[in-house]
Amino acid sequence: MQRSIVEDQAPGKGSAGRAGSIGGENLPLVRLFVAISLPPEVLERLAALRDELPGLAWSRPETMHLTLRFIGSLPETSVPVAASALRAVRAAPFSLRLRGFGLFGGSRRGVFWAGPAPSPQLFAFKRDVDASLEAGLGLAPEHGAYRPHITLSRLKTAAPAGLRQFVGANSARFLGEFLVTSFSLFRGSLQPGGVVHRPEAVYSLPPVDCIIPI
């Protein structure tokens, strides 16, 4: 059975077209993204932050990940094409350190997140993923700079003063370190309880083969 992960929000805005018509035939669309999953010890450390910041609508630990590329909404028939394109990624395992917090958004809604310390290996890995998808799937280049982060909470209003103070005081706080040895292609689908993230394929580093979940 394939593993499903439920999250309250969709992965984000996509860079792929939303049309589901090929040859005049309407096809169901699926939302795809590429991400690094987090090890249990890092998830436990992030979950423990709840005690320091009560009252936030926290992401469930099992839904947390570090997105490399949000592909967007594509026809179902494009899923194996995307999975095949990612086989071209060539990267060695690398260590990733999580350090500090940040906020996205303005006066209405926002995101409270944890982020990695500066990592040339992560950005090189990201460029490899992008190049593979652009060559194998015909995906257009992303607009804007890549800002790697792990969503801890989605805010329905502007960040309260206490949270802004916490972010400023903990900008260099160590949150864990782990060895990146794989990445995944995920599908997101809307269910009554929220968005379900299901891995379509898992890729090992260094590239040996693509592991399809059973």
Side-chain angles (χ1 to χ4, degrees), residues 22-176:
I22 296 180
E25 180 183 0
N26 289 325
L27 300 175
L29 298 180
V30 295
R31 291 165 65 84
L32 300 174
F33 66 100
V34 183
I36 297 170
S37 297
L38 306 177
E41 61 272 18
V42 171
L43 293 174
E44 290 174 8
R45 187 186 290 263
L46 294 176
L49 294 169
R50 293 170 180 259
D51 295 334
E52 298 183 53
L53 293 166
L56 292 181
W58 286 89
S59 299
R60 288 163 39 178
E62 63 269 24
T63 70
M64 295 179 183
H65 58 265
L66 182 66
T67 300
L68 294 165
R69 180 67 184 261
F70 185 76
I71 297 174
S73 298
L74 295 176
E76 179 77 39
T77 52
S78 295
V79 175
V81 181
S84 178
L86 289 168
R87 288 177 179 267
V89 173
R90 292 291 181 266
F94 63 96
S95 182
L96 190 63
R97 176 181 292 236
L98 302 181
R99 187 180 70 190
F101 305 93
L103 292 165
F104 291 147
S107 60
R108 295 186 178 181
R109 302 175 67 90
V111 171
F112 169 50
W113 50 268
S119 171
Q121 295 94 333
L122 175 61
F123 278 79
F125 184 30
K126 155 73 172 171
R127 289 193 296 270
D128 199 358
V129 168
D130 285 343
S132 298
L133 290 171
E134 290 163 16
L137 187 61
L139 203 62
E142 279 188 316
H143 298 292
Y146 176 51
R147 302 181 68 181
H149 65 280
I150 300 161
T151 298
L152 301 179
S153 177
R154 295 185 182 274
L155 310 175
K156 296 183 178 180
T157 61
L163 181 57
R164 294 196 300 270
Q165 292 171 0
F166 177 89
V167 168
N170 291 274
S171 60
R173 180 170 171 177
F174 175 72
L175 299 171

